[in-house]
Amino acid sequence: MTTTFVGAVVQVLGEQLTLAAAQERRGIEGLRAAMLPAVPTPTVRQQIAVVLARQTKPLLATEVHGLIYDYFPDEVAVGVQDVRTLLEEGSEFVRVQRYRWQLGREVTPRLP
């Protein structure tokens, strides 16, 4: 009787492990289908956004320019004036202080 019981428990555990492994494979396949591929070469606008997203305070255009080369050393060189132009044109960037930029928008409470 004990041998039969142990055999049944081992069989049930084996079936559960098989089902769990199959579920894990399906989950991984689903994640692979949903993931977006990495951008092979980020645009300068994307580089600026990455630099600003990683900062805790607003930056000058020259600071953004310098950090682009820290984060993207293998990318094509870009001038400070190009960075300034993109900061001013981009709706995703906002000037929060004189000459200082951040990613996103300032949010103020709405008045009734």
Side-chain angles (χ1 to χ4, degrees):
M1 175 152 170
T2 317
T3 307
T4 309
F5 178 73
V6 171
V9 168
V10 169
Q11 181 180 354
V12 169
L13 288 175
E15 291 171 359
Q16 288 179 347
L17 287 173
T18 302
L19 290 173
Q23 185 178 12
E24 182 180 10
R25 277 193 304 277
R26 286 192 306 273
I28 291 171
E29 290 168 4
L31 286 173
R32 284 189 182 136
M35 287 175 36
L36 297 174
V39 178
T41 303
T43 65
V44 177
R45 186 180 301 268
Q46 291 169 329
Q47 292 174 9
I48 293 169
V50 167
V51 167
L52 290 174
R54 293 179 177 175
Q55 302 308 306
T56 59
K57 59 183 174 49
L59 298 178
L60 298 168
T62 54
E63 293 171 322
V64 173
H65 178 261
L67 288 171
I68 285 174
Y69 294 102
D70 290 345
Y71 292 131
F72 304 97
D74 299 330
E75 299 301 323
V76 178
V78 61
V80 176
Q81 187 55 47
D82 294 328
V83 171
R84 280 191 188 107
T85 301
L86 288 169
L87 285 167
E88 291 170 3
E89 292 176 353
S91 63
E92 64 273 34
F93 311 122
V94 64
R95 187 179 312 187
V96 293
Q97 298 170 4
R98 187 173 182 190
Y99 306 117
R100 294 201 172 265
W101 297 88
Q102 73 179 21
L103 181 65
R105 295 269 180 212
E106 280 189 299
V107 179
T108 57
R110 292 186 184 187
L111 298 176

